[in-house]
Amino acid sequence: MTRAGPDPMGGSPTGRRPAREAAEGINRIEGYLLCQAERGRARAEAEAFAARLPWLTTGQREEVIRIYTDDRMALTRRVLQGVVDRCAELREEYTARYLQLRRRVLAQAVLVLLMSLALSCGTLLIARHP
């Protein structure tokens, strides 16, 4: 029977490094806590809204609070998805720009190296033939 233990290269049995797994776990916890805080704010706003409608019955009040909270959470999801999408677009744009700049710098470095080599060869040829 084989035992799935830690990878001798520092990875875990799932193939990920423990630090990466920990960071992902922390990110999930942070996301959960942020979501719960947003849900709490949405519910507080829903309750404040329902309080301005004193003619509602208890059942109606709870339904207004539930619908308001659900709508607010849906809006939050849409806004966050828009931010995520824009971040992905910007990452693609910056990655493409970075690669373009890297190629340009590499081409210029090669050009400088070739010019230096040509200048050195020319100097050597002139020095050998007086």
Side-chain angles (χ1 to χ4, degrees):
M1 180 166 123
T2 61
R3 194 175 126 223
D7 181 352
M9 299 301 289
S12 69
T14 60
R16 294 184 181 167
R17 298 214 180 266
R20 183 180 177 119
E21 285 180 356
E24 289 174 357
I26 290 170
N27 285 341
R28 281 192 297 272
I29 291 169
E30 181 183 22
Y32 173 79
L33 292 174
L34 289 171
C35 181
Q36 291 306 307
E38 181 63 20
R39 183 171 297 282
R41 284 189 296 272
R43 179 149 179 100
E45 288 180 15
E47 288 172 354
F49 176 74
R52 291 184 291 178
L53 307 172
W55 58 85
L56 296 176
T57 65
T58 303
Q60 290 171 331
R61 182 179 185 282
E62 287 302 316
E63 185 175 2
V64 165
I65 291 171
R66 183 187 56 76
I67 291 170
Y68 186 105
T69 302
D70 290 348
D71 286 351
R72 169 71 186 279
M73 293 305 293
L75 173 63
T76 299
R77 276 188 215 96
R78 286 192 306 272
V79 168
L80 287 176
Q81 189 59 53
V83 170
V84 167
D85 293 345
R86 182 62 182 143
C87 285
E89 290 171 5
L90 288 173
R91 183 182 191 116
E92 288 177 21
E93 289 175 25
Y94 288 136
T95 299
R97 182 71 175 146
Y98 175 74
L99 290 174
Q100 182 184 28
L101 291 172
R102 269 182 59 184
R103 285 188 203 110
R104 186 181 296 166
V105 168
L106 180 62
Q108 290 174 351
V110 168
L111 180 63
V112 167
L113 181 65
L114 290 175
M115 289 175 63
S116 298
L117 183 63
L119 184 60
S120 297
C121 289
T123 303
L124 283 175
L125 288 175
I126 291 173
R128 284 191 175 180
H129 298 295

